[in-house]
Amino acid sequence: AEDADGAPLSGLARGGEMRGGSRPGAKKQESVVAEFNALLSSQMTAQRQYFETRQRELESQQAIELSAVAAQLKAATEAAARVQAALDAARAENDRLEREADEAHREEEVMRRQMQQLESINKKISGEQQVFEVQAENSRAREREQRRTRAMEVEDLQQQIHDLERFIKMRGKVKQATDEVDRQGSALLVTQGDGPTGRGGRRTRRR
């Protein structure tokens, strides 16, 4: 048997209902049972309000944490975009240097042929030709050094992008784990809120 709020009535209350009016103390027993049921209902209402308030606090905290994670992910994504832009610029610069090197090589080839023609005409310019060849070799050495430097910069930028991608993936995994923990915590709160009550109207705690 249950009262108007769905709470179970004690044996005393049932006995009072079955034997109402059968003895002089029946009305007093009914009054005691009513007071007990009212107290039990009040305690259950207070517990329900507590758990509802606690659940709202946890949901608010979760929203704040998710907002912070989203901000970090946004910042990491923007940083990755900046690094990608720098990498694109470095690649474009490397392409420009390669074009200039090819053009310089063609110009060098033309000048070499011209020097050969001039050598056949006048042996006196051989000394100037040697100086030019030394300068050309120095220029090629500088170009090789520039290409090597650019290649190292591109490799370093690629490593930075790789590190940022790993960071973004790790943040995603952390977010998923956080969501799972929050769902488990909410399920536990709901389970505790629906559990049986102990003696005297107090809820039995799980251990």
Side-chain angles (χ1 to χ4, degrees):
E2 297 180 350
D3 64 2
D5 295 329
L9 292 174
S10 66
L12 180 61
R14 291 196 299 270
E17 290 175 353
M18 294 175 60
R19 297 187 301 272
S22 61
R23 57 184 179 176
K27 291 184 179 180
K28 183 176 181 181
Q29 292 176 355
E30 290 176 358
S31 176
V32 171
V33 170
E35 291 179 0
F36 171 78
N37 289 334
L39 177 60
L40 178 62
S41 177
S42 175
Q43 289 179 347
M44 292 179 66
T45 300
Q47 289 178 350
R48 183 176 65 254
Q49 291 176 351
Y50 167 77
F51 284 113
E52 289 176 351
T53 301
R54 183 57 179 165
Q55 182 176 1
R56 287 193 296 269
E57 291 175 355
L58 291 175
E59 290 174 351
S60 176
Q61 182 179 359
Q62 178 184 2
I64 294 173
E65 293 175 353
L66 290 177
S67 177
V69 171
Q72 293 176 354
L73 289 176
K74 181 180 178 182
T77 302
E78 291 175 352
R82 290 193 296 270
V83 173
Q84 182 63 46
L87 178 60
D88 293 340
R91 287 174 176 171
E93 179 66 14
N94 187 60
D95 293 340
R96 185 186 66 82
L97 290 175
E98 289 180 353
R99 290 193 298 270
E100 291 180 355
D102 293 339
E103 183 179 356
H105 180 71
R106 290 191 296 270
E107 292 176 354
E108 181 184 347
E109 183 64 22
V110 172
M111 294 178 69
R112 189 182 64 80
R113 289 196 299 268
Q114 291 175 353
M115 288 298 297
Q116 289 177 350
Q117 293 173 359
L118 290 173
E119 184 179 10
S120 64
I121 296 173
N122 192 354
K123 297 294 185 180
K124 293 182 180 181
I125 64 173
S126 59
E128 296 177 358
Q129 181 181 359
Q130 292 176 358
V131 172
F132 174 79
E133 290 177 353
V134 170
Q135 292 176 350
E137 179 61 28
N138 291 337
S139 178
R140 287 193 295 270
R142 287 193 299 271
E143 291 170 358
R144 288 194 297 269
E145 180 62 21
Q146 288 177 351
R147 287 195 295 270
R148 187 183 69 83
T149 300
R150 289 296 179 185
M152 292 176 62
E153 291 176 354
V154 168
E155 182 179 359
D156 183 64
L157 289 172
Q158 289 176 341
Q159 182 62 37
Q160 292 181 26
I161 287 179
H162 177 70
D163 293 340
L164 285 171
E165 289 175 347
R166 290 180 58 192
F167 173 77
I168 292 173
K169 290 180 180 178
M170 290 176 64
R171 285 291 183 184
K173 292 180 179 179
V174 170
K175 182 178 180 298
Q176 292 177 358
T178 302
D179 292 343
E180 180 63 22
V181 170
D182 291 338
R183 286 195 296 270
Q184 293 178 359
S186 298
L188 180 59
L189 288 176
V190 172
T191 302
Q192 292 179 348
D194 296 336
T197 57
R199 184 176 181 183
R202 295 185 178 178
R203 189 173 305 280
T204 303
R205 296 184 178 177
R206 294 188 176 184
R207 299 185 179 272

